[in-house]
Amino acid sequence: MPIIEYRGESANLKVLAREIEADPHLAGTCSLTLTPLRQDRRDSLRHANWAEISVSVASGLATNAVYDALKVLVERARDRGPVDEVTTRPEGGSGEESDGTEGAAER
């Protein structure tokens, strides 16, 4: 099961989660986990609540249509504010962040 993670402002990712759940191509094929990030992050000059969203695509459904629909919604979210892809990992990944962020992958 591929897992795609994005980091951005919490409010923006909540809207993205609602859009994913409402999309006819993604509804029922993706599961979502929204995780708030700690506020002691020093890598941002903005004073926003940051979060990560993990999008798990059901096995056997990882088709181009699913990824294209997700890409469109993520691009729309990027128009609203910063959204960065954190990792893409297969099912059973180590759960460690490649950018050294601690605790963000714990669910």
Side-chain angles (χ1 to χ4, degrees):
M1 174 180 313
I3 299 172
I4 306 165
E5 294 180 338
Y6 298 97
R7 180 178 296 144
E9 294 174 344
S10 182
N12 191 11
L13 294 184
K14 287 178 184 178
V15 172
L16 176 60
R18 286 194 301 267
E19 290 175 342
I20 290 171
E21 291 170 346
D23 187 276
H25 297 343
L26 300 174
T29 63
C30 295
S31 61
L32 306 169
T33 304
L34 188 65
T35 306
L37 294 177
R38 296 184 310 212
Q39 293 300 313
D40 62 351
R41 294 175 47 91
R42 296 184 186 132
D43 61 348
S44 174
L45 298 175
R46 298 182 68 170
H47 299 287
N49 292 319
W50 291 92
E52 283 184 354
I53 188 169
S54 297
V55 182
S56 303
V57 180
S59 297
L61 295 175
T63 64
N64 287 339
V66 171
Y67 285 112
D68 288 346
L70 182 59
K71 182 178 177 181
V72 167
L73 294 179
V74 169
E75 288 302 320
R76 189 181 310 163
R78 285 184 176 135
D79 288 342
R80 292 189 297 262
V83 175
D84 298 316
E85 187 169 346
V86 179
T87 59
T88 303
R89 57 188 164 93
E91 180 181 16
S94 66
E96 295 179 16
E97 295 292 325
S98 60
D99 63 357
T101 303
E102 295 178 0
E106 294 177 17
R107 307 288 183 251

